[in-house]
Amino acid sequence: MNKMTLGVNIDHVAVLREAREVNDPDILQALYVACESGADQITIHLREDRRHIQDLDVKNIISLSKVPVNLECSINREILDIVSELKPHRATLVPEKREEVTTEGGLDVFTYADKIAYSIELLHDSIIPVSLFVDPTMEAMEKSKELGAEMVELHTGHFANLFNMLNSALPHSNHSVKELELPRYELSSRLESSLEAIKNSAIHANKLGLEVAAGHGLNYQNVHKMMQIEEIIELNIGQSIIARSVFSGLSDAVKEMKRLTTRNA
Ligand code: PXP
């Protein structure tokens, strides 16, 4: 079996910081803790609207990180110029819509083929290897190779939604995925198909000479399914790790504040 690289996406720490416009939680502390705890890579997304990670964060993270930094970005020229200047270890091109909560689907490598090919060339001129965040289809693997990428990151969002609708309390929450409120046998069959698509895409990409990563919506319950696909050599995971850290750390955080706010009567 190939070794697996864990890319820890720390954007979500910056989401919390930006909600209060303070430097708490400090993104560089998150970088330090993630690296000390075994992250093989740090993944961050410099969004056009700068809703979480800021330009200065990218600069500091690249200069201080002990592990490679995978910088996600759109194919917007202004962003690409910043990325070329900042020189991360790799750039991952992702689709971006201002109104979305998070990256909703893979890059449309067909409609935007010329723009993507140009973006890859631009990044290559600055010696930055490029990965494309794409949906798991054979056609997308072939097109990614043709456009000049070194790597693909398979979008696992659909797989994760199916998995979570079947195996978690998601359907009974406010964030139930409406279009997946289906009978269990239907969800199971779609989950099987989505896993097949991921596996077949990974095998095909590998044959084409592309490295294969995967990410989006992966968590402590569903990640084992990705571990079974040998061709996938990197996973980028954010939300579930930061969400888990709230509960692994909340007890100590409350205890420490209780200690500071206890008076001897
Ligand atoms: N990979 C890519 C390309 C992403 O856009 C994201 C989300 O920012 C992730 C991985 C991580 O996804 P999640 O936060 O759902 O683990």
Side-chain angles (χ1 to χ4, degrees), residues 167-236:
N167 300 297
S168 78
L170 180 63
H172 311 292
S173 77
N174 283 338
H175 302 295
S176 170
V177 185
K178 290 282 168 269
E179 66 274 19
L180 295 182
E181 288 178 353
L182 301 166
R184 290 186 66 79
Y185 69 84
E186 177 63 28
L187 284 176
S188 294
S189 139
R190 290 196 192 187
L191 181 63
E192 277 313 303
S193 308
S194 84
L195 268 171
E196 276 296 301
I198 293 171
K199 182 162 178 55
N200 292 338
S201 299
I203 292 170
H204 195 50
N206 230 221
K207 282 193 185 136
L208 293 166
L210 292 163
E211 289 192 297
V212 185
H216 210 283
L218 299 178
N219 60 29
Y220 294 85
Q221 290 72 41
N222 64 29
V223 73
H224 67 281
K225 295 284 187 190
M226 296 300 116
M227 293 304 293
Q228 288 161 3
I229 304 176
E230 194 176 355
E231 291 75 15
I232 296 178
I233 57 161
E234 176 182 309
L235 298 174
N236 290 299

Side-chain angles (χ1 to χ4, degrees), residues 8 13 19 32 34 120-123 127 144 147 155 184 186 189 196 201-202 218-219 221 224 228 244 247 252 265:
V8 177
V13 174
Y32 176 78
I120 294 175
E121 258 179 52
L122 207 71
L123 292 163
I127 333 269
S144 299
L147 294 176
H155 193 305
R184 290 186 66 79
E186 177 63 28
S189 139
E196 276 296 301
S201 299
L218 299 178
N219 60 29
Q221 290 72 41
H224 67 281
Q228 288 161 3
R244 166 72 68 101
F247 294 113
D252 280 351

Side-chain angles (χ1 to χ4, degrees), residues 7 9 11-12 43-45 47 52 70 72 92-95 102-103 133 153-156 214-219 235-241:
N9 182 317
D11 292 346
H12 307 276
T43 293
I44 44 176
H45 184 175
R47 290 190 74 102
H52 39 57
N70 170 34
E72 298 172 9
T92 297
L93 299 180
V94 300
T102 181
T103 317
F133 188 44
E153 179 171 340
L154 305 179
H155 193 305
T156 52
H216 210 283
L218 299 178
N219 60 29
L235 298 174
N236 290 299
I237 307 180
Q239 166 78 23
S240 63
I241 296 176

Side-chain angles (χ1 to χ4, degrees), residues 18 30-32 42 46 51 60 75 77 80 101 103 108 112 119 124 132-134 138 143 146 150 157 185 223 225 260:
E18 293 305 307
L31 166 73
Y32 176 78
I42 294 296
L46 184 67
R51 70 172 69 158
N60 288 338
I75 51 174
R77 178 65 202 252
L80 289 168
V101 175
T103 317
D108 183 344
Y112 303 106
S119 306
H124 281 173
L132 301 181
F133 188 44
V134 285
M138 297 295 173
K143 195 70 183 170
E146 184 192 316
E150 281 80 30
Y185 69 84
V223 73
K225 295 284 187 190
L260 294 172

Side-chain angles (χ1 to χ4, degrees), residues 61 76 79:
I61 288 169
N76 170 307
I79 291 281

